[in-house]
Amino acid sequence: MEFITLGHGSGGKLSHRLISELFLKYFQNEILIKQDDMAIVPGSSMNWAISTDSFVINPIFFPGGNIGKLSVCGTVNDVAMSGGIPLYLTAAFIIEEGFPLAELERIVQSMAETAASAGVKIIAGDTKIVGKGQADGIFINTTGFGLIPEGRNISGRNAQPGDVIIVNGTLGDHGVAVMAERHGLEFSVPIFSDCAPLNEIIALLLENVPRVNVLRDPTRGGLATTLNEIAYQSNVMIELWEEKLPVKDEVFSACEILGLDPLYIANEGKFIAILPEEFADIALATIKNHPLGRDAAIIGKVVDKPKENSNNKVYLKTALGGKRILDMLAGDQLPRIC
Amino acid sequence: MIKRWLVRIYGVVQGVGFRPFIYNLASKYQLSGLVGNDTQGVFLEIEGSEEVLNAFVQQIPIVAPPMAVIDKIEIINTELPISMQSGFIIVKSQGAGDKQISVPVDTALCSDCEKELLTPEDRRYLYPFINCTNCGPRYTIIEALPYDRFNTTMKTFQMCPECAAEYNDPTNRRFHAQPNACWHCGPQVSLLDRQKNIIARGIEAIKQAGEFLSAGKIIAIKGLGGFHLACDARNSDVVKTLRRRKNREEKALAVMCKDINTLKAIVQTSIYSEKILQGPEKPILLLPKKDTQLLADEIAPVNPNYGVMLPYTPLHRVLFEFSPPYLVMTSANKTDEPIEYKNDEAVSNLNQIADYFLLHDREIKRRCDDSVATVFRDKLFMIRRSRGFAPLAIKLPEEFSHIIATGAEQKNVIAIAKGKDIILSHHLGDLENEEAYRAFEECINDLTSFLDLKPRLIVHDLHPEYLATKWALEQPVAKLAIQHHEAHIGACMLEHQLAEPVIGIAFDGTGYGYDGTLWGSEVFIGDGKDFRRVAHLLPIPLIGGEKAIREVWRLGYVLQELAGIKEKNANFNNRPEISIFKKMLSNHLNVFLSTGMGRLFDGVAAILNLREKITYDGQAAIELENIAYHSTKSIPLKLDIIQQEKKWFFDWRPLIQQISAYLRKGEAISTLAFGFHLAIANAINEICLLIRNQYGINKVCLSGGVFMNQILLRESVSRLEQDNFEVYWHQTIPCNDGGIAAGQIYLAYLRSEK
Ligand SMILES: [Fe+3]
Ligand SMILES: [Mg+2]
Ligand SMILES: [Zn+2]
Ligand SMILES: [Zn+2]
């Protein structure tokens, strides 16, 4: 008998198998099949982008944010990654009996602030209280709705050989900040989550750049996992340049100690844009001009169609000139060295 | 009584001069008839008196050409109609049918060709691509089978009339020598500088290269299966420069010696090792250094051995006419990358490393690294099985067809089963590397198409993150997972054709176990169909996963911490990481449990201050072995064996306490290192005695990468033999992960429904 494991929630191979072999099998339809992070639904004049996410995080409060801020950013960002302009959110809470009201208020307050700064309204909600031990503090589900201006065609399936890959800032901040808080790890320089709504910077990018093929936020599973998804959806190979990858010194050295690869660590205020090389400069300049894009960099390119039957899709050109495969992990960063 | 027989010969019988050999032998016996190649091997019709036919057939295996491997001679029919034809003919190759032929292997320059090569009157005098049916490139130039010139990268060279005449003359030793060539019609060499200017061609290029080498330059040389970086092995400055440019600070460098006498001046040889060094495969052999100052100290610091080989292509042989007698010949690559094998890529990628490039225009179809071996008890002990050995078949007792085994993650080699053959590929490298991974996929395609394989089963490792496993899982055929250390023991059992119950000692680095932890000190009992894990180390936590394998001081720290040692190695104190390590340990944050014996070696090396971080695979354990050779006395160290619920555990905590105490008392590191080796060998002996007492098994297989350690191998084997165990160790299949695919196939075979 097979059971759900934590690995099914890791965002890696098991999660993908669960989605394709179970959910898609039963929920099959022309909208869902596209497998982007949001659904695009035809409207009367413009299309709707709709995305939903549940937020479960330990600890609930962490440097740089909390579960409330995260639940707004996560969904706003998913909608924005379709090129959509996020307008409305719904919010549903599952709260464990005994949860401090003051903490709930802090969470709700920061949801409101984040929604206001992102320019979205929270228009519907739900609250369920469950008995002690039946939930871990608080779980939040948000669903976001956005309108997609006509002519935008942004999807994980659009990456083309020759495109450049841009990221708007440093990698791994959120995952390491949360991990440090959860385990009480004291690093010499404190690390903060990058949790932030990206709709404004995305809107600027799309205004200034004539063509953007792919937008995606590298959350769970990190940059490597997200690029593998895109490479798979677009059937291309992707090359990353180690020397160009922006990683904060403190995150890098924390990862060194922990033995983790920042490329597989979650971000909550980062996006990857994949676009034709001719627009690389204007895109980078636009992103860098926004406060959330100061550390932006061109980190690689879409190189080619993979050989038939080849599994290898994403690799890293190392500082020493080697090429290391960055595959989608089946689970943890389990040692492979014999 | 005159008869006409139909005879078939199976094995490695094509591309090795077999038909002219039969032709000449038949002429000697005055038989008439014919000989030809088809997809199953060689067939012949021979006509003559029955006694002579019998004598002829019996003579075949005795005088067969050196490269031929005869699996079987079958007399299919003794009553063919008599034709009274006169003379003997060679008929054209026949194509169709089930492919049973094997893929021919690259073979080093033979003595006949070498003689011609060095004869000034010969038309191939100093021609660097001389070859014959007994020698020359094969596997590295084949694009398709059957093995004919137009299916190799030699197809672009049109033979001149003289070469063509040899090629078509059944009495000539170049009859159907597919890469046959000469100065007029064959591949040519040229010497390039870093700006890609051709500065010399032909013999002048080789001569200049030799002079540059004498002058302390580094030259990238295109050989048989890829490029080498060469420099004068006697010149410290250039060796240091090479190490710096190649980013290879510490690992020993291989040395090619002009001839056997030159070689014998620097290493201790035996009749056996000299035979291997001069044989058709010409691997790199690791042999004990002699006490001389001939080579630069930087070649193999602290190492008791040199890795030596003799020139195996005519190009190398000619080069030595002009170059220093000892050349470093290290595979030409950027750090951790596979060896370069294409002219353009080599020239651009090695631009910062080599001063000059000695190229030729015969394309290498697939890269093939030098094979590396040592000699243990007058048997080959393979470390990397590649050039000259791949893709030679290993035999199974029965048919087991259409199987692929994808091997391990590092030192990857794949295996294919077809008929009774297990074909091991060449060394493909670490699959995490993009080029190596591509070679892995290409190799599977090549071997399946060469051997007309229709895969019905794919065997793979249990490790969910191995790229070889992931590849296997994507394939639309049946799959079978084999646990890594069971596969190691399987490889050893295959080597000795064992299928009865054995004690399998798999001492290794880390491999995925059935319980999701990382194994690697497994003691199994079983017959290969089934294994029971009866003993292993108490688990060692890897703090930070793979990081702990690279930064071995983490292992040293954790061993001392868990052994309750207050006064740890001074180098572990006051490190900022320690407080985080403690939390990682208590919260299981990126900590993986490992029973890998290799990790115990690594950790002890760190405790003995030999090494904090490694720069190449297995470095800490290798240095622990190397220092142990300097031990002048023995001290009693002991790895405890404890029993719990019918299972034994090697409890390393008392051993770590002993080592730490001796170290504090100022005991010599070499003595402690040697004592540690003996403690492990004693523990192997002790666990085998316990198992024999309880289960009555007397055969012991030693496998896993840890047994590349020659002190451990030697001491373990001699102890076990003293207690009358039948001991088996590796010979032509590596005990490291290069042997995993072979073990996977063999265990799949033993476990299949028969
Ligand atoms: Fe292994
Ligand atoms: Mg989502
Ligand atoms: Zn020859
Ligand atoms: Zn010729």
Side-chain angles (χ1 to χ4, degrees):
Chain A
M1 189 137 80
E2 275 193 84
F3 299 95
I4 288 292
T5 64
L6 285 173
H8 284 102
S10 69
K13 281 228 156 154
L14 279 179
S15 310
H16 283 262
R17 202 161 288 166
L18 185 68
I19 290 167
S20 58
E21 288 170 17
L22 183 71
F23 292 118
L24 278 181
K25 178 171 139 197
Y26 289 100
F27 297 161
Q28 183 83 268
N29 62 54
E30 72 286 357
I31 296 172
L32 198 59
I33 194 73
K34 293 195 174 145
Q35 288 202 62
D36 276 321
D37 282 351
M38 81 306 295
I40 295 178
V41 180
S44 52
S45 62
M46 281 191 264
N47 290 338
W48 284 100
I50 302 173
S51 181
T52 191
D53 231 321
S54 296
F55 295 83
V56 177
I57 189 165
N58 168 20
I60 288 163
F61 295 90
F62 49 84
N66 61 54
I67 192 170
K69 182 178 179 187
L70 193 63
S71 71
V72 173
C73 296
T75 297
V76 162
N77 293 347
D78 276 349
V79 169
M81 295 306 140
S82 65
I85 297 160
L87 297 173
Y88 305 112
L89 283 184
T90 70
F93 298 81
I94 293 171
I95 306 168
E96 186 187 8
E97 175 189 15
F99 191 76
L101 200 57
E103 288 192 9
L104 183 60
E105 187 166 357
R106 275 172 66 199
I107 290 166
V108 173
Q109 212 173 18
S110 83
M111 284 177 82
E113 283 165 18
T114 313
S117 81
V120 296
K121 293 189 173 119
I122 296 175
I123 54 162
D126 175 55
T127 310
K128 294 281 183 298
I129 311 297
V130 296
K132 201 146 189 80
Q134 291 179 295
D136 187 10
I138 181 167
F139 301 153
I140 303 177
N141 171 279
T142 55
T143 300
F145 300 79
L147 278 174
I148 308 177
E150 213 156 337
R152 280 189 185 166
N153 174 22
I154 292 164
S155 160
R157 302 201 284 189
N158 292 353
Q160 304 295 327
D163 284 359
V164 296
I165 300 163
I166 303 179
V167 70
N168 66 311
T170 54
L171 298 164
D173 303 17
H174 174 77
V176 175
V178 169
M179 199 177 297
E181 183 70 19
R182 184 188 309 156
H183 297 285
L185 310 177
E186 279 161 38
F187 296 111
S188 46
V189 179
I191 294 164
F192 294 91
S193 166
D194 57 349
C195 183
L198 294 165
N199 53 331
E200 190 180 85
I201 186 170
I202 293 287
L204 273 174
L205 176 73
L206 294 177
E207 263 165 45
N208 288 335
V209 177
R211 199 163 130 216
V212 174
N213 288 329
V214 183
L215 288 170
R216 188 64 71 79
D217 53 343
T219 52
R220 195 173 51 182
L223 181 77
T225 304
T226 301
L227 288 178
N228 268 286
E229 287 166 1
I230 294 168
Y232 176 79
Q233 280 181 287
S234 297
N235 193 33
V236 291
M237 285 182 70
I238 288 175
E239 175 179 289
L240 286 184
W241 306 320
E242 187 175 39
E243 285 163 308
K244 304 286 171 157
L245 293 169
V247 179
K248 287 197 174 87
D249 287 347
E250 58 267 33
V251 172
F252 181 82
S253 55
C255 283
E256 284 286 293
I257 297 174
L258 296 168
L260 294 172
D261 185 343
L263 299 183
Y264 287 93
I265 293 179
N267 309 281
E268 287 296 344
K270 295 292 146 37
F271 68 89
I272 309 159
I274 301 183
L275 43 89
E277 197 181 357
E278 52 182 312
F279 306 127
D281 291 343
I282 172 79
L284 188 63
T286 307
I287 294 170
K288 275 180 167 286
N289 216 5
H290 189 277
L292 291 179
R294 272 195 304 253
D295 298 323
I298 298 175
I299 57 169
K301 63 180 180 190
V302 180
V303 277
D304 216 342
K305 297 278 174 202
K307 279 232 176 102
E308 206 192 342
N309 300 329
S310 178
N311 281 335
N312 153 34
K313 300 239 159 56
V314 180
Y315 63 87
L316 179 74
K317 258 202 139 153
T318 65
L320 290 172
K323 293 181 194 165
R324 180 163 70 88
I325 293 179
L326 293 174
D327 60 322
M328 194 180 284
L329 297 183
D332 296 324
Q333 293 182 25
L334 184 68
R336 293 194 265 227
I337 300 181
C338 177
Chain B
M1 179 97 173
I2 300 291
K3 291 276 183 191
R4 190 177 179 90
W5 288 6
L6 173 62
V7 179
R8 286 196 158 283
I9 304 172
Y10 305 92
V12 183
V13 290
Q14 293 186 2
V16 293
F18 211 83
R19 288 174 301 166
F21 152 71
I22 291 288
Y23 176 96
N24 288 321
L25 192 64
S27 311
K28 206 170 124 195
Y29 280 79
Q30 294 182 331
L31 298 174
S32 64
L34 56 87
V35 60
N37 276 344
D38 64 11
T39 54
Q40 301 201 37
V42 164
F43 62 92
L44 35 146
E45 292 183 23
I46 38 173
E47 191 170 316
S49 78
E50 239 173 326
E51 304 85 82
V52 180
L53 290 179
N54 254 319
F56 172 79
V57 170
Q58 272 164 28
Q59 192 66 10
I60 292 172
I62 301 168
V63 293
M67 278 174 69
V69 182
I70 297 174
D71 291 342
K72 189 170 67 177
I73 299 180
E74 200 177 2
I75 300 167
I76 308 273
N77 190 339
T78 54
E79 300 291 341
L80 289 183
I82 292 161
S83 83
M84 300 303 284
Q85 136 209 15
S86 70
F88 201 85
I89 55 167
I90 294 175
V91 296
K92 268 197 164 326
S93 299
Q94 299 181 359
D98 187 30
K99 288 191 194 164
Q100 286 292 349
I101 50 167
S102 39
V103 187
V105 64
D106 301 308
T107 303
L109 179 67
C110 74
S111 55
D112 289 341
C113 286
E114 185 175 9
K115 224 173 286 158
E116 284 183 14
L117 183 69
L118 302 176
T119 302
E121 298 73 38
D122 195 275
R123 71 185 191 91
R124 289 191 182 83
Y125 178 55
L126 301 184
Y127 179 58
F129 303 97
I130 188 172
N131 66 84
C132 71
T133 46
N134 290 333
C135 74
R138 302 283 187 275
Y139 186 51
T140 49
I141 59 167
I142 290 174
E143 293 172 334
L145 284 187
Y147 174 58
D148 275 315
R149 189 176 179 106
F150 60 84
N151 279 333
T152 71
T153 61
M154 280 300 291
K155 67 183 173 207
T156 53
F157 300 96
Q158 177 82 43
M159 268 185 275
C160 70
E162 273 175 289
C163 284
E166 294 168 338
Y167 183 86
N168 290 315
D169 173 6
T171 65
N172 193 289
R173 66 186 191 87
R174 296 204 167 84
F175 176 71
H176 286 198
Q178 304 304 344
N180 189 28
C182 74
W183 280 114
H184 297 296
C185 64
Q188 303 295 336
V189 286
S190 47
L191 185 68
L192 273 64
D193 64 15
R194 282 184 169 183
Q195 286 72 46
K196 305 189 187 180
N197 303 312
I198 297 182
I199 52 177
R201 290 178 203 271
I203 196 65
E204 216 24 61
I206 306 175
K207 192 168 167 224
Q208 280 242 17
E211 283 160 10
F212 282 138
L213 287 165
S214 305
K217 299 290 183 198
I218 297 169
I219 304 200
I221 299 175
K222 184 178 182 179
L224 185 67
F227 280 74
H228 280 127
L229 289 162
C231 70
D232 185 351
R234 303 166 309 178
N235 178 338
S236 278
D237 290 340
V238 71
V239 177
K240 274 187 224 158
T241 307
L242 176 64
R243 283 196 178 279
R244 185 170 30 87
R245 290 191 193 162
K246 203 190 164 191
N247 218 325
R248 174 164 166 151
E249 297 298 338
E250 284 147 313
K251 199 176 181 183
L253 298 164
V255 175
M256 192 183 267
C257 308
K258 180 173 182 175
D259 51 36
I260 190 74
N261 288 327
T262 327
L263 183 147
K264 281 160 75 174
I266 58 166
V267 288
Q268 296 165 32
T269 59
S270 64
I271 294 167
Y272 178 79
S273 61
E274 286 175 33
K275 191 177 131 220
I276 296 293
L277 285 162
Q278 299 177 94
E281 300 97 359
K282 289 200 170 63
I284 297 173
L285 277 193
L286 308 182
L287 294 174
K289 287 177 180 174
K290 276 190 181 162
D291 190 19
T292 80
Q293 301 293 312
L294 279 169
L295 300 192
D297 292 342
E298 292 78 8
I299 296 286
V302 298
N303 202 312
N305 299 319
Y306 283 131
V308 291
M309 65 179 144
L310 290 174
Y312 55 85
T313 71
L315 175 60
H316 295 130
R317 184 62 196 82
V318 176
L319 179 64
F320 276 112
E321 293 296 298
F322 308 105
S323 78
Y326 299 101
L327 294 177
V328 169
M329 282 281 174
T330 182
S331 49
N333 51 4
K334 291 172 288 173
T335 313
D336 293 337
E337 289 282 285
I339 184 169
E340 298 289 346
Y341 73 119
K342 290 183 172 160
N343 286 352
D344 289 353
E345 291 176 11
V347 174
S348 9
N349 292 338
L350 303 172
N351 208 270
Q352 304 302 309
I353 306 178
D355 299 307
Y356 297 96
F357 299 85
L358 187 59
L359 306 182
H360 62 73
D361 53 0
R362 184 179 71 202
E363 194 193 325
I364 298 173
K365 178 62 189 167
R366 60 185 59 73
R367 60 165 82 75
C368 197
D369 290 78
D370 290 326
S371 292
V372 183
T374 187
V375 175
F376 179 70
R377 292 198 172 187
D378 260 2
K379 292 266 168 51
L380 209 57
F381 186 86
M382 194 69 79
I383 292 168
R384 182 168 70 198
R385 187 185 189 280
S386 204
R387 174 186 53 77
F389 295 92
L392 282 181
I394 296 162
K395 287 291 162 197
L396 275 177
E398 294 167 282
E399 292 245 335
F400 187 58
S401 267
H402 301 292
I403 320 288
I404 298 175
T406 61
E409 178 80 356
Q410 294 183 296
K411 303 185 175 72
N412 182 274
V413 164
I414 62 149
I416 277 181
K418 176 86 193 285
K420 290 182 182 174
D421 285 344
I422 296 178
I423 310 286
L424 291 189
S425 77
H426 53 299
H427 166 87
L428 296 164
D430 296 350
L431 296 190
E432 192 188 42
N433 183 286
E434 201 265 338
E435 295 234 4
Y437 185 81
R438 202 157 5 113
F440 162 84
E441 291 189 330
E442 277 170 14
C443 185
I444 292 175
N445 284 337
D446 284 352
L447 289 182
T448 46
S449 89
F450 290 170
L451 299 165
D452 203 16
L453 202 82
K454 295 162 197 76
R456 61 177 174 91
L457 176 69
I458 296 187
V459 195
H460 60 85
D461 197 275
L462 206 58
H463 199 305
E465 302 292 358
Y466 277 7
L467 291 163
T469 302
K470 291 177 181 180
W471 182 90
L473 293 176
E474 299 283 325
Q475 306 308 310
V477 295
K479 265 83 78 178
L480 176 69
I482 300 280
Q483 199 278 326
H484 188 91
H485 304 102
E486 294 188 5
H488 273 307
I489 298 301
C492 188
M493 293 174 75
L494 169 65
E495 179 111 73
H496 301 284
Q497 304 278 314
L498 299 173
E500 57 269 48
V502 299
I503 302 171
I505 312 272
F507 280 8
D508 200 30
T510 35
Y512 197 78
Y514 290 113
D515 59 1
T517 69
L518 298 162
W519 292 8
S521 54
E522 309 320 306
V523 179
F524 295 115
I525 54 171
D527 57 5
K529 280 191 205 64
D530 202 27
F531 280 124
R532 227 176 92 198
R533 186 191 191 207
V534 293
H536 57 82
L537 279 180
L538 287 183
I540 301 169
L542 306 182
I543 304 176
E546 222 160 83
K547 207 65 170 190
I549 304 177
R550 298 217 162 89
E551 295 183 2
V552 291
W553 78 272
R554 294 177 186 236
L555 290 164
Y557 163 77
V558 89
L559 291 174
Q560 288 197 325
E561 172 76 13
L562 298 184
I565 293 169
K566 294 277 166 329
E567 278 179 74
K568 296 194 182 61
N569 177 321
N571 294 345
F572 305 159
N573 295 330
N574 306 322
R575 294 216 182 194
E577 293 97 326
I578 300 274
S579 68
I580 292 174
F581 285 178
K582 287 191 169 147
K583 285 190 173 136
M584 290 172 75
L585 276 174
S586 59
N587 296 0
H588 299 287
L589 172 59
N590 209 33
V591 167
F592 299 88
L593 294 181
S594 161
T595 58
M597 182 57 78
R599 305 291 84 88
L600 186 64
F601 275 74
D602 288 346
V604 169
I607 291 170
L608 296 183
N609 294 312
L610 285 170
R611 186 139 286 283
E612 292 195 351
K613 295 179 184 184
I614 59 169
T615 62
Y616 64 88
D617 250 21
Q619 184 178 13
I622 289 169
E623 292 180 1
L624 189 67
E625 177 187 351
N626 287 343
I627 196 100
Y629 287 106
H630 295 105
S631 169
T632 50
K633 63 175 191 198
S634 71
I635 44 163
L637 298 178
K638 188 166 187 308
L639 178 63
D640 281 7
I641 298 180
I642 53 177
Q643 189 169 17
Q644 275 171 20
E645 296 167 19
K646 291 187 178 172
K647 208 168 143 182
W648 292 283
F649 295 90
F650 302 111
D651 185 351
W652 40 263
R653 290 170 299 187
L655 177 61
I656 297 298
Q657 286 155 6
Q658 295 156 30
I659 290 173
S660 305
Y662 272 115
L663 192 64
R664 269 198 306 277
K665 276 188 276 175
E667 186 56 82
I669 288 177
S670 58
T671 304
L672 289 170
F674 187 60
F676 171 75
H677 280 79
L678 296 188
I680 307 300
N682 286 332
I684 289 173
N685 194 39
E686 191 185 335
I687 194 73
C688 288
L689 288 167
L690 288 167
I691 292 170
R692 183 166 66 186
N693 265 338
Q694 189 160 337
Y695 299 96
I697 305 172
N698 198 48
K699 294 190 161 143
V700 181
C701 288
L702 304 176
S703 189
V706 170
F707 283 104
M708 288 194 288
N709 185 313
Q710 296 292 302
I711 297 179
L712 182 67
L713 182 66
R714 182 187 76 202
E715 299 297 330
S716 305
V717 171
S718 68
R719 279 165 177 70
L720 290 165
E721 282 179 346
Q722 231 154 51
D723 280 314
N724 297 315
F725 284 98
E726 290 168 69
V727 195
Y728 300 91
W729 59 87
H730 281 258
Q731 292 168 12
T732 63
I733 304 173
C735 66
N736 58 43
D737 282 7
I740 286 288
Q744 288 172 341
I745 290 234
Y746 188 58
L747 294 188
Y749 158 76
L750 291 177
R751 290 168 191 189
S752 65
E753 298 288 328
K754 285 197 275 290

